[in-house]
Amino acid sequence: MALLRDRDLSSAFDDGAAFYDRFVALNPGYHSQLRRSAGRLGLPRNSSRLRILDLGCGTGASTAALLHHAPDAHITAVDASEGMLRRARAKEWPGRVKFVHATAEELPAEVTGTGYDAVFAAYLFRNVPDPDAVLATTRELLVPGGRLAVHEYTLSGAPAHRKLWDAVCWGGVIPLGALRGDGPLYRHLWRSVVDFDTAGAFRDRMRAAGFQQVRVLPTTGWQWGIVHTAVGAAPPARHGGDNPATPAHTTQEPA
């Protein structure tokens, strides 16, 4: 099957939005793993001055994960699906959270007009046609030393993890999605993971995009070897050509 792209993918998410939160609730650890990845940004609890970009926010699960670690941060949450955003906006949020309908490739001025201390991207990069271009944009939006955390289905490369992913999708996810009329979306989910980078390949992609201190960390539970967090930092500012400036925050990132 061909992957869904651009408007076809956004439309599929629009159609699936009504059931999406209930669907992911069937996934053990879905929300806790998002919180784990958001925590790997190393955000300080005193977060009132932080500006965070949540790319591919969906119905707001990743936004909630960020608020768990930085409850006072200013968060701009972006998604290409209006249906998913409608679900997100219907929930209760602090006034410092705003939602923007846009693709990661064509961010409007209200998103690009400021620098961000951190960017969080959950389940985004395998769904964009040009991951390298989005990584380049992300790096440009980060302040010097700002951090990126990518929470993504990136298989380890081990055959056992590919077999587990196939079994989970074809034994449960795809049939259940088809019952709801969302078969194309969840067949896309399966195929997009199979066709996308392994965890190591995505680490190399981030390094090639100019990110520093890049690490790939596993999740736990059944997602071990299937979902990873890739974290890295934008280059620090330099004074006099050699000395790095203080990064936006220096909290140690948890494992």
Side-chain angles (χ1 to χ4, degrees):
M1 62 157 287
L3 290 173
L4 300 174
R5 290 298 188 201
D6 301 324
R7 291 184 179 178
D8 290 337
L9 182 56
S10 297
S11 177
F13 274 113
D14 288 344
D15 293 340
F19 186 62
Y20 191 81
D21 282 344
R22 284 176 286 172
F23 197 91
V24 300
L26 301 175
N27 180 347
Y30 181 88
H31 293 285
S32 63
Q33 299 296 357
L34 280 171
R35 290 192 296 271
R36 179 186 294 268
S37 289
R40 287 167 169 168
L41 283 166
L43 301 171
R45 293 293 295 182
N46 183 11
S47 56
S48 61
R49 298 180 64 184
L50 286 182
R51 295 190 177 276
I52 304 174
L53 177 61
D54 183 10
L55 271 181
C57 66
T59 61
S62 54
T63 316
L66 287 166
L67 286 170
H68 177 80
H69 295 283
D72 298 320
H74 297 263
I75 299 177
T76 300
V78 176
D79 202 88
S81 165
E82 183 57 51
M84 299 289 272
L85 283 177
R86 192 176 304 116
R87 291 280 164 174
R89 291 187 180 114
K91 300 171 184 177
E92 292 187 10
W93 303 99
R96 298 172 303 280
V97 175
K98 70 174 180 179
F99 292 95
V100 178
H101 182 212
T103 67
E105 301 93 335
E106 297 180 347
L107 297 171
E110 65 178 306
V111 175
T112 61
T114 187
Y116 296 92
D117 300 289
V119 176
F120 190 45
Y123 307 120
L124 171 76
F125 276 94
R126 62 186 165 77
N127 286 323
V128 298
D130 191 347
D132 295 325
V134 176
L135 279 171
T137 297
T138 301
R139 201 190 82 176
E140 291 172 1
L141 289 173
L142 284 167
V143 300
R147 295 174 65 81
L148 167 67
V150 176
H151 178 90
E152 186 58 273
Y153 287 109
T154 45
L155 298 176
S156 69
H161 294 142
R162 165 63 192 273
K163 289 179 182 178
L164 176 58
W165 176 243
D166 290 346
V168 167
C169 288
W170 291 101
V173 172
I174 293 172
L176 182 57
L179 288 174
R180 297 288 307 181
D182 296 324
L185 175 60
Y186 292 102
R187 287 193 296 271
H188 165 88
L189 167 67
W190 167 75
R191 186 58 187 245
S192 67
V193 175
V194 170
D195 286 356
F196 192 55
D197 295 350
T198 62
F202 192 76
R203 174 199 61 211
D204 295 342
R205 190 188 290 272
M206 284 183 62
R207 288 173 175 167
F211 286 91
Q212 301 180 358
Q213 306 166 30
V214 178
R215 300 173 63 201
V216 173
L217 302 164
T219 55
T220 58
W222 79 267
Q223 297 175 338
W224 178 274
I226 294 174
V227 177
H228 293 84
T229 319
V231 292
R238 294 189 175 273
H239 294 260
D242 294 312
N243 299 318
T246 303
H249 56 77
T250 56
T251 303
Q252 292 297 310
E253 129 200 357

